[in-house]
Structure formats: structure tokens, C-alpha cells
Amino acid sequence: MVTWGKRNEELILPINSSLSVTLHQDQLKTTTTVASSRSFQEDRIWLNGKEEDITHPRIQSCLREIRRLARKRRNEVDPSLDSTGLSHKVHICSVNNFPTAAGLASSAAGFACLGKSQKNKTRTSNMLSPVCGSGSACRSMYGGFVQWIMGQRDDGKDSLAQQVEPESHWPELRILVLVVSHAERKPVGSTSGMQTSVQTSCLLKHRATSVVPGRMGEMIDAIRRKDFASFAELTMRDSNQFHATCLDTFPPIFYLNSVSQQIISLVHRYNRHCGETRVSYTFDAGPNAVIFSLQQHVPEFLQLVQHVFPPETNGGQGLPVKSTSLPEELKQAIGLEPISKGIRYVISTKAGPGPCVVEDPAQHLLGSDGLPEKTV
């Protein structure tokens, strides 16, 4: 369930609560290494092998808030906390094994890693959204099904992430990520897009006050009961309304493309043919589709996807999917001609845990000099 829009930009407080599923790190992951040293002359950050601007407001907000909380903990709770490191500059290196800035929560994953590493180092506790630097990142601090409670306080101290159910709760649930071909970095970033929507979209205000509160309760109930039909319909309706809000923004924002729209059509045609809801879709701020289904239905639907959108690379990635043949009757019922160069590849995954510490030094991304390893 999408969060779109903030009531306080500085504190990263949302206009509505939201819910997400943390994907398994065995298939989609962000790896982040953070180092601090008195020898570092300035804060620096590298993303996917390229140095980025660390003066970005969200990064600075994250670092500033973590240091503030660490000082507060040292002064009020734990005098033994090493105070020297609080004034040292930091080097951050982060790598995604999935597309960046394409609507797959790459920034949330990266900020969650950064928040987790600094949380461990400074022994801070709750992850408020400003600490994580990204609102969605506070949800990514937990595994499984997680809600971000919007809260009511002006200072944001009641705006927190809370695990609804752990990743082991619904073992039959599977997730397919359809990575669309030619999915470049989105032309309108999420932050600027949200700001424009808050200023211009009447639908956004209606959604936040009249739709999401009730839908959140229904979604949590469907997850706890493992009611896939209800979960699937709520997921699709929420995705559709989010993108309707983007179109209601002025000027309008287009995150979906023609392939995204064909995926939506394929899902509805398949469910109609089956006489029940077997798959659902959701799209964040980008054209890539996230498909939910139960394990027993994944082989057939994946074959259907590969029939309609012949992948550019052989096979998929992630969890193995049992091979199956596609009935001719199903091809005829769907009635969609194959579209070449529509989908680059498919990642098969499931719900997974939150951030974990990488103990093996060989997997750390920064060398002893604080610079990225050549393999990054």
C-alpha cells in the first residue's frame, strides 16, 4: 500500500499510513558498507561504483539525525558509548543487484542499510523515518509484512514502522518482479513528484483521508488470514489509485509505460480465464511490475508472461520455478500477441528478513583506505 506525499518534508512524515512486503535478500538486495575515520577529510558516498553527491538533503538528514541520537544516548543512557567517532567523517559505499531509481525501492533499501549500520554502531533504538533518510526505509528495517504508521504528533515521534507479520507467516506467497526493458531512471523523482501531488491533486487528499485508513485495516486482516483473493484485489486497487493520483497531479506524472499497461491487462485476462484471482500486480513510481501469487500458480503464469513478453535473456533469476507447458486454450483465451523487447528478465522471490550484518570482511565494499574496492 503506497505512501505518496508528506505532511512534513523535513521530518519525512507521511500524509497516510502504508504497508509493504520486504523482499528476500537471496534474490534482491542492497549491500552497504560504512566506515568512519579521523583520517577522512569529508563525508563521501558511492552508489553502484559511482561517486554521488553526499550533500543530498536526505543523506544529510539521515547522518545528522543518527549523530544527534547517538549523542543523546551517550549523554542520557550510555556514557560508555565511544564519543570520538561521532565527529569523524564517514565513507559510504552501496551496491544494488537490481535496477536503481526505477520504482523498485532502491533508495529505501539503501537507506535501510545505512540506518541499520549506524544504528548498530551508535546503539540507537527505534528507526524513525528521519533517521532512515527515507520514509519507506523505516519499513525496510523489518522483515515480512510491515506497516508505517503515519502518527499524529507534529514532532513525528509516533510515526514508526511496525511489523504486521514475520516473513515466515505466509510461506506459499510468491513474488515475481518483471523488469521492463528500457526502464530508465524515472523522469520525475519520487520526492519532487510527491511535492507536486500534495500541492495540486485533490484525489491525493481524498485518498489519504477517506480511502487509505479503511483499506489499511482490510489489508492487514487479509494478510493475517492469508486471504489471497482479498489481498490481491486490495493491492491492485491501491496501485491503480496511486497512479490515478499521479495523473491527477498537475502537470501529470507518468510512471507506467505501454508494457506496464499490457502487464495489467494480462493479469486481469488471466484471472478472468481462471474464474478466480490467482495473481495481482502493483507498481510503485516506475514501470516495473511486482506480481503476487501463490506458489502453485507461479509456473503457469510465468510461462504465460514469457509467452507474451519473450524475455531478452534466457530464463529468470532468483527462486527456481518448476517448468510447465502452456495450454493452447489459455493462449487463445488471453488473446495477446507476443511483444518483443517488453521485459528484460524476471526475478522470482518471496518475503524475506530485514537488514542483516555482513560479517565476512571479504564482502565489505570499502578497503582499508576507506575507498571502494576495485570489484565494486
Side-chain angles (χ1 to χ4, degrees):
M1 188 162 294
V2 180
T3 292
W4 191 252
K6 303 182 184 76
R7 68 180 192 273
N8 186 310
E9 288 286 341
E10 183 178 354
L11 295 179
I12 317 180
L13 302 180
I15 64 170
N16 62 263
S17 297
S18 58
L19 191 145
S20 63
V21 182
T22 301
L23 303 184
H24 207 289
Q25 298 164 15
D26 285 350
Q27 289 80 48
L28 293 98
K29 67 180 178 181
T30 295
T31 304
T32 301
T33 299
V34 182
S36 62
S37 172
R38 70 177 70 227
S39 66
F40 295 164
Q41 299 299 308
E42 58 183 348
D43 293 332
R44 299 176 70 181
I45 186 170
W46 294 264
L47 175 60
N48 295 328
K50 179 184 177 183
E51 186 162 12
E52 301 285 351
D53 181 13
I54 200 162
T55 63
H56 190 286
R58 289 203 293 174
I59 300 174
Q60 287 299 308
S61 172
C62 180
L63 295 176
R64 185 168 55 249
E65 188 68 9
I66 288 171
R67 286 164 171 160
R68 183 189 71 80
L69 289 174
R71 284 192 294 269
K72 181 178 179 181
R73 180 174 180 83
R74 181 196 62 200
N75 295 335
E76 298 178 3
V77 180
D78 189 0
S80 66
L81 182 64
D82 180 18
S83 61
T84 57
L86 297 178
S87 59
H88 293 165
K89 300 300 182 181
V90 298
H91 285 187
I92 304 164
C93 186
S94 190
V95 174
N96 300 320
N97 75 341
F98 57 93
T100 300
L104 290 176
S106 57
S107 63
F111 276 115
C113 286
L114 176 58
K116 173 71 172 181
S117 65
Q118 294 299 83
K119 175 178 181 286
N120 289 357
K121 179 179 177 61
T122 58
R123 305 179 204 167
T124 49
S125 53
N126 286 339
M127 287 287 101
L128 299 125
S129 54
V131 182
C132 291
S134 161
S136 300
C138 71
R139 292 192 309 252
S140 300
M141 295 300 296
Y142 300 91
F145 304 85
V146 188
Q147 64 173 325
W148 178 15
I149 302 169
M150 63 176 289
Q152 302 296 327
R153 292 177 51 153
D154 291 339
D155 61 9
K157 289 184 177 179
D158 59 347
S159 182
L160 298 167
Q162 181 183 79
Q163 187 181 64
V164 173
E165 293 291 345
E167 60 270 22
S168 59
H169 169 69
W170 202 345
E172 304 85 7
L173 188 68
R174 289 293 182 269
I175 301 152
L176 300 176
V177 180
L178 310 188
V179 180
V180 172
S181 301
H182 311 299
E184 301 173 353
R185 292 177 74 96
K186 49 197 175 191
V188 180
S190 297
T191 300
S192 61
M194 287 183 199
Q195 291 171 347
T196 307
S197 293
V198 168
Q199 294 166 2
T200 65
S201 173
C202 295
L203 178 56
L204 178 68
K205 299 175 180 62
H206 169 73
R207 166 180 162 79
T209 58
S210 302
V211 178
V212 171
R215 188 172 281 168
M216 279 289 293
E218 293 174 14
M219 180 69 84
I220 291 172
D221 180 64
I223 289 169
R224 287 181 169 156
R225 290 187 294 109
K226 292 187 272 192
D227 178 354
F228 183 78
S230 297
F231 169 79
E233 181 173 337
L234 288 165
T235 298
M236 291 187 284
R237 285 184 177 276
D238 195 71
S239 176
N240 294 343
Q241 190 178 63
F242 158 57
H243 287 282
T245 297
C246 292
L247 292 177
D248 189 52
T249 300
F250 193 82
I253 306 170
F254 303 93
Y255 287 124
L256 305 183
N257 60 21
S258 60
V259 176
S260 310
Q261 294 163 356
Q262 288 283 1
I263 293 170
I264 291 172
S265 177
L266 175 63
V267 167
H268 285 291
R269 291 181 185 214
Y270 178 69
N271 287 336
R272 184 168 60 246
H273 171 75
C274 295
E276 62 178 351
T277 303
R278 291 188 178 182
V279 293
S280 72
Y281 56 79
T282 183
F283 296 81
D284 199 4
N288 298 306
V290 176
I291 303 293
F292 292 98
S293 187
L294 297 179
Q295 187 174 5
Q296 67 264 31
H297 302 313
V298 169
E300 182 175 77
F301 184 73
L302 182 56
Q303 287 295 318
L304 184 60
V305 168
Q306 293 176 339
H307 167 71
V308 177
F309 305 100
E312 295 180 16
T313 58
N314 292 327
Q317 300 181 26
L319 290 174
V321 177
K322 184 174 65 175
S323 178
T324 186
S325 59
L326 200 61
E328 194 63 35
E329 176 194 0
L330 177 56
K331 295 179 187 178
Q332 296 295 327
I334 297 302
L336 292 175
E337 293 297 320
I339 302 170
S340 63
K341 296 184 178 180
I343 291 177
R344 283 168 55 200
Y345 56 91
V346 178
I347 305 171
S348 175
T349 187
K350 60 183 179 180
C356 61
V357 177
V358 178
E359 301 289 357
D360 183 5
Q363 297 185 45
H364 294 177
L365 304 180
L366 293 172
S368 58
D369 57 358
L371 298 177
E373 297 281 14
K374 291 182 180 179
T375 55
V376 175

